[in-house]
Amino acid sequence: MGTKSKTLFFAFLLLLSTAHSFYLPGVAPRDFQRGDPLSVKVNKLSSTKTQLPYDFYYLKYCKPSKIVNNAENLGEVLRGDRIENSVYTFEMREDQPCKIVCRKKLDADSAKNFKEKIDDEYRVNMILDNLPVAVRRQRRDGSQSTTYEHGFRVGFKGNYAGSKEEKYFINNHLSFRVMFHRDTETDAARIVGFERLAFLGSGLSSIGYRLSSDQLTYVIIVHCVALVNSINHEYKEWDEKNPQVTTCNKDTKNLIQGSTVPQEVDAGKEVVFTYDVTFKESDIKWASRWDTYLLMNDDQIHWFSIINSLMIVLFLSGMVAMIMMRTLYKDIANYNQLETQDEAQEETGWKLVHGDVFRAPINYGLLCVYVGTGVQIFAMSLVTMIFALLGFLSPSNRGGLMTAMVLLWVFMGIFAGYSSSRLYKMFKGTEWKRITLKTAFMFPGILFAIFFVLNALIWGEQSSGAVPFGTMFALVCLWFGISVPLVFVGSYLGFKKPAIEDPVKTNKIPRQILEQAWYMKPIFSILIGGILPFGAVFIELFFILTSIWLNQFYYIFGFLFIVFVILIITCAEITIVLCYFQLCSEDYHWWWRSYLTAGSSALYLFLYSIFYFFTKLEITKLVSGILYFGYMVIVSYAFFVLTGTIGFYACFWFVRKIYSSVKID
């Protein structure tokens, strides 16, 4: 490879690895003039402890006169997103020092709901101009850089000085800061940041209450003004048309008095909700406004881990390829020079099984179904990643990733039918319609059954994450109306093609398989074969699980694509190597074993998900645990079908290649 080729190659890798910082925004930019109205939308209440999202108005917050649900795509509904209007309204570049929203009197049920959500560490998610609200905080390692957390806490627990009784406090005063980028020529501005400031200062000591250590990690001192987020507002007389509170002064920037106490949550308590907003000009351009949300806390660790994994796998791949090529070329050359069959039998064993190696396996129809389904998953994953690399599935396009995956799965059914029928015809099968029905219904049917049970559990918890009946019906229509017909079309086209011819003839009487060594037993070799593919992806798997279960954005598709390529290479090579050893041991039952060898990596994926559950998550509720493991079963099952298909086709190509390269008498 020349210097120019190397430069282009490394430039391509750099482009892929940095693709997480480039995206095509999902919405067009909006220009705002001074004084233009800005409406904050509320999304959902989310918690990493329960994994059960709730509608914002599930709690007794201030409501607008009419609640309007924004148009949602399929992905948003499946994720439990419910975007609605709110009472929080701003005016562009007009600071509002103290805005009173409403007052609410808590009854027993509403107080109980608030306490439960505070116990479960629920966070409020809001959106302004398609930007989610974020809370700044200092990194725990003490560095000067800051990180952003999505949403803000519903409240917190603490106790007054001199008292051991734990109290619940609600964050009823919100301090927003909107950052904008201004065009110097037109004076129009675009919103590039939406933060909720959490203030903590000297006022805490004067009012005499303590916060837990967990709460302290979610606040940050900004400027020198000391404000708290939980305020027991006081007023002389409440006027609905023009409410005034003595604890909030509109005329000064020092909004909260030093003697202010936090707002407790209890039955019969009255809560006054207030907010303030400030605008700050920023040098950040509109196209880069999502960079803050996409920054990773462990970016250096991620880089090192990915490069380390890439180098190890590439090194192993090179060694394996070199050994295999040298050994095979030597075997094939010796076979073609031998004059008699007796001499060939003395050399090695893989040529001896040429009359049985293409014998149809047991349950070959089921194998065809799983191979076809694997091709469908592979095509969906590949196209989705290409779209993501090009930036069409950015986080600003809410639900776009999941919507794309569902629709691509539906339309890739034609490849599933084609692959399964082609393989089925090679095995001389005749009931292609039955195989087509199994291909169209087996995998999605199992997934739909698990999903239906999990959705019923979510529905029982009254969570907004439950998929409505209308959406469920729409999924069934996509399945039966588009996917199933496309599977039949692909199967018909595949069965019309001439059957794949075997490079050697199959004997009528099966050859007896000799006793195998312990390390060549099916169970041992299958379990060993899944370790290397899992080792190639488990680092990236950690970040994927973190983004899913800890409510973080995942947008490092450049890394993901590299890992996906490594996974394909690793599955193919480990399956080919073990298949070669198996054939040398005169065991010709390679069809299912090649599929299970690479597919066994899904077992390690599920075991790792168990480890992740007990080490990284704080889920305590039974329903939440069932949801986690239910969804991980779905992910592991899909991973099994994908990797198994990759290993099968690699082994299929390898076996046909070596037996078509030797002379068979």
Side-chain angles (χ1 to χ4, degrees):
M1 183 182 291
T3 306
K4 185 177 181 180
S5 301
K6 290 181 179 179
T7 304
L8 292 175
F9 175 73
F10 285 112
F12 176 70
L13 284 182
L14 182 62
L15 175 64
L16 290 180
S17 61
T18 57
H20 65 282
S21 62
F22 166 76
Y23 69 94
L24 300 175
V27 294
R30 295 180 58 190
D31 294 330
F32 297 94
Q33 300 293 337
R34 182 183 294 272
D36 285 351
L38 303 175
S39 297
V40 177
K41 298 175 183 178
V42 291
N43 188 355
K44 62 183 176 181
L45 306 173
S46 60
S47 170
T48 58
K49 294 185 68 174
T50 67
Q51 303 296 331
L52 294 170
Y54 283 88
D55 185 80
F56 176 79
Y57 297 111
Y58 178 83
L59 297 178
K60 200 170 184 178
Y61 283 120
C62 301
K63 297 182 180 180
S65 56
K66 182 181 179 181
I67 298 177
V68 179
N69 293 319
N70 282 47
E72 298 169 324
N73 56 42
L74 181 61
E76 286 180 298
V77 177
L78 294 177
R79 291 175 53 202
D81 285 346
R82 300 292 185 269
I83 301 177
E84 300 163 321
N85 58 328
S86 73
V87 294
Y88 298 97
T89 57
F90 310 151
E91 292 181 358
M92 187 64 181
R93 297 163 64 183
E94 299 289 344
D95 293 352
Q96 296 179 2
C98 183
K99 187 82 170 178
I100 299 173
V101 182
C102 74
R103 65 171 179 171
K104 292 284 186 179
K105 189 170 184 179
L106 303 180
D107 53 22
D109 289 338
S110 58
K112 179 185 176 183
N113 289 337
F114 269 113
K115 290 180 179 180
E116 288 178 352
K117 296 301 174 282
I118 293 173
D119 278 329
D120 292 331
E121 299 179 3
Y122 270 84
R123 306 181 74 87
V124 179
N125 297 279
M126 294 182 172
I127 299 171
L128 176 64
D129 191 35
N130 205 42
L131 274 182
V133 64
V135 177
R136 296 178 59 192
R137 76 166 188 176
Q138 211 76 24
R139 285 201 179 193
R140 294 185 178 182
D141 56 9
S143 62
Q144 296 298 319
S145 59
T146 58
T147 58
Y148 286 79
E149 293 185 336
H150 309 146
F152 56 87
R153 291 279 186 93
V154 171
F156 54 92
K157 293 188 291 186
N159 54 285
Y160 291 98
S163 174
K164 295 182 179 180
E165 183 181 2
E166 196 170 49
K167 297 285 187 180
Y168 291 84
F169 302 97
I170 182 176
N171 287 325
N172 60 321
H173 180 83
L174 307 180
S175 296
F176 297 111
R177 182 170 69 181
V178 180
M179 292 182 290
F180 63 92
H181 182 79
R182 186 173 62 90
D183 189 341
T184 55
E185 295 181 0
T186 63
D187 200 44
R190 294 176 178 178
I191 297 175
V192 295
F194 182 36
E195 302 175 358
R196 181 261 190 177
L197 303 179
F199 293 95
L200 178 65
S202 58
L204 297 182
S205 60
S206 63
I207 62 178
Y209 75 95
R210 296 193 297 270
L211 296 176
S212 65
S213 58
D214 291 338
Q215 176 66 12
L216 292 177
T217 62
Y218 287 89
V219 293
I220 176 173
I221 298 176
V222 183
H223 310 304
C224 59
V225 181
L227 301 176
V228 291
N229 302 297
S230 181
I231 308 165
N232 185 11
H233 285 296
E234 299 176 357
Y235 58 89
K236 296 180 180 179
E237 184 177 351
W238 187 264
D239 184 359
E240 289 291 347
K241 295 182 179 179
N242 186 24
Q244 299 288 335
V245 292
T246 59
T247 46
C248 191
N249 186 357
K250 292 184 178 181
D251 299 327
T252 64
K253 292 186 178 181
N254 190 12
L255 305 179
I256 310 305
Q257 308 301 318
S259 59
T260 302
V261 295
Q263 175 63 59
E264 289 186 33
V265 176
D266 211 345
K269 293 286 185 179
E270 195 174 65
V271 181
V272 178
F273 291 91
T274 57
Y275 71 94
D276 59 72
V277 58
T278 57
F279 290 83
K280 180 182 178 182
E281 188 169 356
S282 173
D283 294 330
I284 300 174
K285 294 185 178 180
W286 188 88
S288 304
R289 65 178 189 164
W290 272 87
D291 289 356
T292 300
Y293 301 89
L294 303 180
L295 288 177
M296 299 179 55
N297 295 338
D298 302 319
D299 47 359
Q300 292 183 349
I301 297 176
H302 197 173
W303 265 105
F304 174 77
S305 301
I306 291 297
I307 294 175
N308 183 56
S309 176
L310 180 64
M311 292 297 103
I312 291 176
V313 172
L314 288 178
F315 174 76
L316 291 176
S317 300
M319 293 295 294
V320 168
M322 183 179 65
I323 294 172
M324 291 296 297
M325 292 301 292
R326 291 186 61 181
T327 304
L328 279 175
Y329 276 130
K330 183 179 179 181
D331 288 346
I332 293 172
N334 290 337
Y335 279 139
N336 292 335
Q337 291 175 1
L338 295 174
E339 296 180 355
T340 64
Q341 186 70 14
D342 294 336
E343 292 175 340
Q345 292 180 359
E346 294 175 359
E347 286 294 323
T348 184
W350 67 267
K351 187 182 178 183
L352 296 178
V353 295
H354 67 85
D356 299 276
V357 73
F358 291 104
R359 189 181 304 279
I362 301 175
N363 293 326
Y364 63 86
L366 184 62
L367 178 64
C368 296
V369 170
Y370 272 102
V371 169
T373 304
V375 171
Q376 187 177 9
I377 297 176
F378 178 83
M380 177 203 69
S381 304
L382 182 63
V383 176
T384 301
M385 253 179 282
I386 291 174
F387 276 116
L389 279 173
L390 295 175
F392 292 110
L393 303 178
S394 69
S396 59
N397 186 10
R398 301 182 185 282
L401 179 61
M402 187 166 291
T403 303
M405 292 179 67
V406 173
L407 294 180
L408 285 172
W409 162 263
V410 169
F411 288 106
M412 295 301 169
I414 190 170
F415 296 106
Y418 182 86
S419 304
S420 62
S421 64
R422 287 282 285 159
L423 191 62
Y424 185 70
K425 190 172 184 178
M426 188 192 73
F427 290 135
K428 298 179 175 58
T430 57
E431 299 179 347
W432 68 274
K433 294 181 181 179
R434 178 181 296 181
I435 296 300
T436 305
L437 282 174
K438 289 182 179 180
T439 305
F441 287 100
M442 179 172 289
F443 179 79
I446 294 174
L447 260 62
F448 189 82
I450 298 175
F451 180 74
F452 186 82
V453 173
L454 296 179
N455 192 66
L457 293 175
I458 299 173
W459 195 281
E461 294 292 322
Q462 299 180 334
S463 170
S464 63
V467 177
F469 174 78
T471 305
M472 194 77 74
F473 181 74
L475 291 175
V476 174
C477 290
L478 288 173
W479 179 13
F480 283 84
I482 300 179
S483 180
V484 173
L486 285 178
V487 173
F488 268 91
V489 170
S491 184
Y492 174 76
L493 295 175
F495 208 77
K496 278 186 62 178
K497 300 277 286 185
I500 301 174
E501 296 293 336
D502 297 332
V504 293
K505 294 182 179 180
T506 301
N507 297 332
K508 294 183 178 180
I509 301 176
R511 181 186 180 90
Q512 185 178 3
I513 299 176
L514 302 177
E515 182 68 23
Q516 300 293 305
W518 64 271
Y519 52 84
M520 291 304 299
K521 296 286 185 181
I523 295 179
F524 181 80
S525 62
I526 287 172
L527 293 178
I528 288 296
I531 294 178
L532 192 58
F534 170 75
V537 301
F538 89 96
I539 298 173
E540 196 66 25
L541 178 65
F542 169 80
F543 291 98
I544 295 175
L545 292 179
T546 299
S547 65
I548 294 175
W549 300 108
L550 296 182
N551 291 336
Q552 296 183 12
F553 289 114
Y554 184 87
Y555 200 66
I556 43 178
F557 293 107
F559 287 124
L560 184 62
F561 184 78
I562 295 174
V563 171
F564 186 67
V565 174
I566 293 174
L567 175 67
I568 295 173
I569 296 173
T570 309
C571 287
E573 288 186 343
I574 193 66
T575 309
I576 288 173
V577 170
L578 293 179
C579 180
Y580 176 74
F581 291 154
Q582 179 185 351
L583 295 176
C584 288
S585 300
E586 301 180 21
D587 183 357
Y588 53 84
H589 293 156
W590 63 272
W591 299 95
W592 273 108
R593 191 184 292 193
S594 64
Y595 195 97
L596 297 176
T597 297
S600 64
S601 57
L603 173 63
Y604 297 101
L605 187 152
F606 186 75
L607 293 176
Y608 180 77
S609 70
I610 298 175
F611 172 79
Y612 186 87
F613 178 84
F614 288 105
T615 57
K616 299 297 181 182
L617 301 181
E618 299 179 359
I619 294 177
T620 55
K621 289 188 176 182
L622 177 62
V623 173
S624 302
I626 295 175
L627 289 177
Y628 174 83
F629 287 109
Y631 285 124
M632 290 311 302
V633 165
I634 292 177
V635 172
S636 301
Y637 184 39
F639 193 74
F640 163 76
V641 178
L642 172 64
T643 54
T645 301
I646 295 172
F648 171 81
Y649 271 117
C651 201
F652 181 69
W653 169 84
F654 170 75
V655 173
R656 290 181 60 84
K657 192 72 174 176
I658 63 173
Y659 281 97
S660 62
S661 301
V662 295
K663 298 177 181 179
I664 304 296
D665 296 332

